Amino acid sequence: MRQPGAYSGLLAGGISGKTGPHSLPLARIKKIMKNSNDEVKMISGEAPIVFSKACELFIEELTKRAWMMTLQAKRRTLHREDVASAVMNIDIFDFLVNLVSENSGKSEDPQPVTEA
Amino acid sequence: MEEVPKTTCTSWTAQQAAGNFSNNSTGRERRHPGNTTTGLVTPVVIGSGTNDPNNPIPHQTFKREQDQYVPIANVIRIMKRILPAHAKISDDAKETIQECVSEYISFITSVANEKCHQEHRKTITPEDILYSMEKLGFENYIEPLTLFLNKYREQDMERNSVLAEPFTRRAVRFVQPQQPAPIAPAPTMPTVHHQNYIYPSAINNYFGQTMGGNGECSSSSGAGPTNAEFNPYAQFK
């Protein structure tokens, strides 16, 4: 388990090592980066570190937005549908549209329609 | 079209035949490693020649490879920081966010990689990542990320600096062999990448005191035990 205050540790400069107070494991981030594209060859050592922070910010933003949907529905449990609604509502999350609509079991992909 | 529920175990024979059977089973379905990160339930043809080209098994199964995502525990922890104490998170929401993170990383990386490619560079740098974020609409992340990166680089420089005692270094997962430092403060030390620090526990033992040179030293003790076995300074004991 990570020690408490890992987040504040980051801001206060308590970065003591690769396995230290980063919220997300750097090796895993690196693996995901490499999986994204066969052409990705080399990744600077600092890149996963930037991503660990960026993903934190991303999770926080997505969670906040999803929670707003939960509140609108007068619930206290955040469901996948709330995440999906948040994704639909926000432009910068467009790249997630397929992901959340696949997961929700509904096909939101526009089907090709032949005009008669 | 109803997807196969994720918790259903499917098609073990196909997986075994394909030789893709791995031990990180979490009771969830797994995804073929070669698959894209988008979409949890992309059907995959197993046994399409990886291990047995003469006998391809045209089975389809849905797998969820945990290696393609950041650990869900970390995701949950970050979510809980944001949500009020009474809030609950459903399991499917946790998994969805976990997938979104991987998709986010892939998305940004692709754009960053394209930039590198256009500029005939091979290595993706943090600057490429920041550029991609701005381009894709995440410009409000740029400032906190820049601050974070600068702070990290400052500390990295401190750690690498000649003035820093070798005892303020820390170990990470692995240690590379390097020439042991003399007992007296060395005028020069080999400049090492911050990944290769040696944990100072051995030094602490030798000198009989905690190296409290700076705040980082004492905070490292939490990470100590795993690295204490390696003792490059044993000869000085």
Side-chain angles (χ1 to χ4, degrees), chain B residues 21-201:
Chain B
F21 197 83
S22 73
N23 281 335
N24 61 346
S25 167
T26 57
R28 298 177 172 186
E29 295 173 306
R30 289 186 302 236
R31 182 153 75 195
H32 192 281
N35 215 1
T36 63
T37 56
T38 57
L40 167 67
V41 288
T42 310
V44 173
V45 176
I46 305 294
S48 53
T50 32
N51 279 0
D52 190 1
N54 296 323
N55 187 20
I57 298 178
H59 249 100
Q60 280 197 352
T61 184
F62 303 110
K63 302 199 294 178
R64 189 175 204 257
E65 182 62 64
Q66 285 301 306
D67 275 359
Q68 294 187 322
Y69 304 117
V70 294
I72 200 159
N74 301 55
V75 173
I76 295 168
R77 195 180 314 120
I78 298 171
M79 290 177 77
K80 287 192 167 165
R81 268 193 239 136
I82 296 297
L83 296 174
H86 65 270
K88 298 202 187 321
I89 313 170
S90 75
D91 284 347
D92 55 5
K94 293 172 188 168
E95 285 177 14
T96 304
I97 302 246
Q98 190 190 24
E99 290 156 25
C100 288
V101 173
S102 289
E103 194 64 28
Y104 176 67
I105 295 174
S106 298
F107 188 44
I108 302 282
T109 303
S110 297
V111 174
N113 191 46
E114 204 180 296
K115 178 173 197 275
C116 284
H117 201 64
Q118 282 171 0
E119 297 176 4
H120 307 289
R121 282 182 290 114
K122 284 190 193 163
T123 307
I124 299 182
T125 65
E127 285 71 26
D128 296 325
I129 295 172
L130 293 177
Y131 165 85
S132 307
M133 292 199 175
E134 180 145 26
K135 191 168 171 193
L136 297 172
F138 294 94
E139 58 267 350
N140 46 330
Y141 291 8
I142 304 268
E143 196 181 324
L145 289 177
T146 309
L147 285 171
F148 179 78
L149 186 59
N150 288 341
K151 211 163 195 80
Y152 172 80
R153 283 172 169 169
E154 269 174 34
Q155 291 170 346
D156 205 38
M157 268 170 27
E158 273 176 28
R159 271 184 255 125
N160 277 338
S161 119
V162 162
L163 299 174
E165 294 296 301
F167 322 118
T168 61
R169 294 177 173 183
R170 0 240 81 225
V172 197
R173 299 178 197 283
F174 64 94
V175 189
Q176 285 186 4
Q178 59 182 28
Q179 55 205 35
I183 302 167
T188 55
M189 278 296 295
T191 306
V192 293
H193 191 266
H194 50 69
Q195 283 184 341
N196 302 341
Y197 288 163
I198 309 293
Y199 186 70
S201 65

